[in-house]
Amino acid sequence: MPDQIADPSDLRGDCAQCFGLCCVALPFARSADFALNKPAGKPCPNLRGDHRCGIHADLREKGFTGCTVYDCFGAGQKVSQVTFGGQDWRTGPRERARQMADVFPVVRQLHELLWYLTEALGLPAARPVHADLRRALEQTERLTRQTPEELAALDVAAHRQEVNVLLLRTSELARADVGKKGKKGGGKDRRGADLIGARLKGADLRGASLRGAYLIAADLTGADLRGADLIGADLRDADLTDADLTGAFFLTQPQVNGARGNAGTKLPESVTRPVHWTAGS
């Protein structure tokens, strides 16, 4: 069995256990993704008194597509119920609300790392670094349980860099076994590549490293992305119609939610098919 210690269900947002932190802490600007401007720390006007979204069922129609592709990786409930012990920012002192807004983005980054580390521990090819991955996961989990003051002072960028070294090694090991035209050794290295609007229909991208690649509005119809590393790839409005992402790793739900696909798109088990793909919106 895969060597795992984290429950993936704890790394998905549970709005019922959160005080609407993403609707308060995060800023957004009027654009194709958001219908209005909102500074960090100010509640969205659509946030109700019970911390639920007043237009949740109609977010796309009302110009808030950006909200539908966001996921906190479970950071919202962690900050609400653990870091602040279930204390609501609405009823407490202003300082608490400010602290929660400061801490939430930090814990969100740590929970994203927990997602990647947990997935890495489930990859048999990465077994040579499983011990290091487990230690990194345990350390990251400990960091998420620090006090608000400690979290606010945490150099999360430095920690991400340390973890990234392990994730890079994981990628190399996992992609080395991806066969391509009778050979092994992994696919193309397109890390950070500018592929905005690229015509990649039917492209053979098996085992490719697409870490941090810009695939905004790229045509990936029918593309073969089996065993590809998609960590940090920008898939906003990318067309994944009939594409095969079986075995692709480090792919998150927000990335999938931001792309376009259909019933023929093959996805890894770690993510779910977005409702709006089949709804045709």
Side-chain angles (χ1 to χ4, degrees):
M1 293 293 291
D3 187 12
Q4 294 181 324
I5 66 171
D7 185 347
S9 65
D10 292 335
L11 302 178
R12 295 183 184 276
D14 183 354
C15 297
Q17 297 299 314
C18 177
F19 297 135
L21 296 184
C22 65
C23 305
V24 179
L26 305 180
F28 50 75
R30 186 180 182 90
S31 62
D33 293 323
F34 298 101
L36 49 80
N37 295 313
K38 187 192 83 65
K42 180 179 180 180
C44 174
N46 297 312
L47 185 64
R48 302 186 315 204
D50 61 356
H51 302 295
R52 307 308 291 267
C53 177
I55 60 168
H56 187 268
D58 304 305
L59 283 167
R60 286 180 170 269
E61 291 75 11
K62 293 186 179 297
F64 288 87
T65 301
C67 297
T68 69
V69 302
Y70 179 80
D71 193 293
C72 71
F73 296 98
Q77 62 258 32
K78 172 69 73 65
V79 173
S80 298
Q81 303 301 331
V82 178
T83 311
F84 288 89
Q87 300 179 77
D88 190 339
W89 59 267
R90 287 186 186 272
T91 58
R94 182 174 298 180
E95 176 63 17
R96 181 193 300 164
R98 185 193 64 77
Q99 276 191 316
M100 294 182 86
D102 290 343
V103 166
F104 172 68
V106 175
V107 178
R108 197 269 185 190
Q109 291 190 65
L110 293 173
H111 268 237
E112 183 179 8
L113 291 178
L114 289 176
W115 176 277
Y116 293 139
L117 288 165
T118 300
E119 182 172 358
L121 281 165
L123 296 173
R127 191 164 294 280
V129 292
H130 273 191
D132 291 333
L133 288 166
R134 176 177 285 273
R135 282 191 290 272
L137 191 150
E138 292 173 342
Q139 179 189 10
T140 304
E141 172 60 24
R142 284 196 298 272
L143 290 176
T144 70
R145 295 182 179 277
Q146 293 187 117
T147 66
E149 294 76 14
E150 290 171 329
L151 284 165
L154 178 66
D155 187 347
V156 70
H159 183 64
R160 287 186 71 99
Q161 183 56 40
E162 292 177 6
V163 172
N164 190 51
V165 173
L166 285 174
L167 298 180
L168 277 168
R169 180 57 181 150
T170 297
S171 176
E172 292 168 355
L173 291 167
R175 294 185 301 108
D177 287 337
V178 178
K180 188 169 183 179
K181 296 181 180 179
K183 299 180 180 180
K184 290 187 177 183
K188 296 178 179 179
D189 186 351
R190 304 305 303 273
R191 285 181 289 179
D194 183 352
L195 298 171
I196 297 175
R199 298 177 181 178
L200 296 168
K201 183 175 182 179
D204 186 351
L205 295 168
R206 282 176 290 169
S209 175
L210 291 164
R211 298 172 64 91
Y214 296 94
L215 287 157
I216 302 169
D219 181 3
L220 289 161
T221 304
D224 192 342
L225 290 152
R226 286 177 291 172
D229 179 354
L230 291 166
I231 192 169
D234 194 335
L235 295 171
R236 284 177 294 168
D237 206 33
D239 192 347
L240 297 175
T241 298
D242 295 329
D244 190 348
L245 289 84
T246 306
F249 54 95
F250 298 151
L251 177 68
T252 66
Q253 195 64 49
Q255 288 172 293
V256 176
N257 290 349
R260 292 181 288 130
N262 67 346
T265 305
K266 297 179 181 178
L267 296 169
E269 295 181 357
S270 58
V271 296
T272 58
R273 193 176 308 277
V275 174
H276 63 269
W277 283 12
T278 55
S281 60

